[in-house]
Amino acid sequence: MPSTTWDDGAPRFRPPPGVTLYLPVIAAFVLQVPGTIAITAAGRSWGPSAALAIALAAASALALLGARRFPGPTVVAVTALTVAGLLLRPDAGPPMFALAFAIIGAVVRGARFWALGAVGAGWVVAIAIAGLRADTSWHPFRVAVVTVGLGVCFAIGEGFRARRAAVDERRAQLNERRRTAEQDERARIARELHDVLAHSLSQISVQSGVGLHLFDRDPERAREALRSIRALSATGLDEVRGVLSFLRGDERHPTSAPLTPQPQLADLSLLARDRSGLGLEVRLDDELRGETPPSVVQTTAYRIVQEALTNVVRHSGATTATVTLARDADDLVATVGDDGTGMVPDHVAGGGIRGMRERAELAGGTLVISSDSRHGTVIAARLPWRGAP
């Protein structure tokens, strides 16, 4: 059986956190500062304004260091520095790479409204001030290109954000699937061990009570009870080993097959005989006339009957219990009825009843329980004859 990869759907590679933080800072610094210096050299406009423009370009790049912890304030600061540099040299301003990184980072990290407010206000202020200055004439095409570029940055940020959200949702679904699978596995282990241990230990408890009661008056029957306890404990240990082997998956290897086969309907006669005694008679009414469903259905029916009889022995106070097997169309119907005291009102289902219901449902069937103080309890399991679809 191939192993399951729980991170299917997650990105194959996610860069380390340091890369996503420092790479935009380095890229913006390398692109902006030399670019500003090149523009200054080309225009031969050295002086205090040139030094300030270079400082603004460097500061806007370094401001990206706060993008991870403070994406909103970071995009505000980078916008302010970029607008200041743009107005300082309106005709040949510095490149706006830091602002692009700040917008994308803010949108991805959930500070979309910070970015929209800061960039929108900054661009409107820049256009307004540039329009009021006599020495500045921004061509409408330049304004349109910059506006479109800012919109593209927002679109890229939204794309990354949507992809990250999809990956996070996928990972959450996989984690939930893993938790559900683990819970189902724990329930399956508990169900298997409960069926085996409850059967063996309840019989051992009954037989030990018989032995203690007859120890002085009838030593021979007391010895018989002890022999029965010994046989039950050995069988129980074999069954536990078999269940553990099955749960580990060792049954796939012939050299480590389960020590005991899975019980079948033919084993119910022995189960009924073992359950009889100490004032309780268990009868088996087999109406199948030699027909038998697949092995897995037989095992499910056997375990349900086994648990039902365990409850009869432990809780019902009945003198008679009847196990009936019948076929109804495409269903196997296994019924266990007793003449005991019935369940108390508002009875809360214990692990045994939950286990029977789970077994029936996993097999594609149903379990119905009816009980009252006059007619006892009837447990009826209806299972698809050919197994779960």
Side-chain angles (χ1 to χ4, degrees):
M1 180 178 179
S3 60
T4 302
T5 302
W6 292 106
D7 288 334
D8 288 347
R12 294 293 181 183
F13 171 75
R14 174 170 286 185
V19 173
T20 58
L21 176 63
Y22 294 113
L23 184 60
V25 176
I26 296 173
F29 191 91
V30 169
L31 292 171
Q32 288 186 170
V33 175
T36 304
I37 295 174
I39 292 173
T40 302
R44 297 181 180 180
S45 55
W46 299 102
S49 63
L52 181 57
I54 295 171
L56 289 173
S60 63
L62 296 176
L64 294 174
L65 289 171
R68 177 178 298 166
R69 297 187 61 183
F70 310 105
T74 296
V75 74
V76 172
V78 173
T79 300
L81 292 170
T82 303
V83 170
L86 188 62
L87 294 176
L88 182 66
R89 292 189 169 180
D91 294 328
M96 302 168 61
F97 295 105
L99 182 59
F101 287 129
I103 292 172
I104 295 172
V107 173
V108 170
R109 296 181 176 97
R112 179 192 297 112
F113 294 108
W114 283 77
L116 286 170
V119 174
W123 186 225
V124 169
V125 169
I127 294 175
I129 294 178
L132 295 175
R133 294 175 58 170
D135 59 342
T136 303
S137 58
W138 282 357
H139 195 279
F141 179 75
R142 180 184 181 186
V143 174
V145 169
V146 173
T147 302
V148 171
L150 294 174
V152 169
C153 292
F154 278 98
I156 293 173
E158 291 291 348
F160 281 128
R161 177 181 172 81
R163 183 175 181 273
R164 172 180 285 189
V167 169
D168 291 341
E169 181 180 0
R170 174 64 173 165
R171 183 174 288 109
Q173 291 175 347
L174 293 175
N175 289 336
E176 181 63 26
R177 187 187 304 173
R178 180 189 305 174
R179 285 192 294 269
T180 301
E182 290 174 350
Q183 182 61 36
D184 291 344
E185 184 68 11
R186 285 194 293 268
R188 186 168 73 99
I189 293 172
R191 186 167 56 246
E192 295 289 343
L193 292 178
H194 177 273
D195 288 343
V196 172
L197 294 177
H199 166 65
S200 301
L201 293 179
S202 63
Q203 285 293 92
I204 290 173
S205 176
V206 171
Q207 294 294 339
S208 62
V210 172
L212 288 173
H213 183 68
L214 301 175
F215 187 79
D216 294 323
R217 291 186 300 170
D218 194 343
E220 184 58 33
R221 288 190 62 188
R223 274 194 291 270
E224 182 180 348
L226 290 175
R227 283 194 294 269
S228 178
I229 290 174
R230 181 178 181 181
L232 285 168
S233 61
T235 302
L237 285 173
D238 284 345
E239 289 185 341
V240 169
R241 293 191 188 103
V243 168
L244 294 177
S245 177
F246 170 75
L247 294 173
R248 287 194 300 264
D250 293 343
E251 77 283 354
R252 291 175 294 177
H253 307 288
T255 57
S256 57
L259 299 177
T260 57
Q262 293 296 303
Q264 304 291 287
L265 294 180
D267 300 316
L268 285 178
S269 58
L270 179 60
L271 179 65
R273 188 188 68 188
D274 290 342
R275 284 290 190 256
S276 298
L278 297 180
L280 174 64
E281 180 185 1
V282 180
R283 302 169 183 167
L284 176 61
D285 185 6
D286 188 352
E287 302 176 2
L288 296 178
R289 298 181 179 86
E291 289 186 282
T292 55
S295 174
V296 64
V297 179
Q298 295 189 54
T299 300
T300 299
Y302 178 94
R303 291 301 191 193
I304 291 174
V305 171
Q306 181 186 57
E307 178 58 32
L309 289 179
T310 298
N311 289 340
V312 171
V313 171
R314 297 176 60 189
H315 306 300
S316 71
T319 59
T320 303
T322 302
V323 179
T324 304
L325 300 175
R327 180 171 184 174
D328 182 10
D330 290 331
D331 291 335
L332 169 67
V333 181
T335 305
V336 179
D338 66 66
D339 59 356
T341 57
M343 297 180 182
V344 297
D346 301 325
H347 173 77
V348 178
I353 293 178
R354 287 199 303 271
M356 288 189 289
R357 289 192 188 280
E358 290 172 359
R359 281 190 179 279
E361 292 170 358
L362 289 173
T366 58
L367 185 82
V368 177
I369 301 176
S370 58
S371 179
D372 61 63
S373 59
R374 291 186 300 172
H375 302 95
T377 302
V378 177
I379 297 176
R382 181 177 289 271
L383 310 174
W385 186 267
R386 295 179 179 84

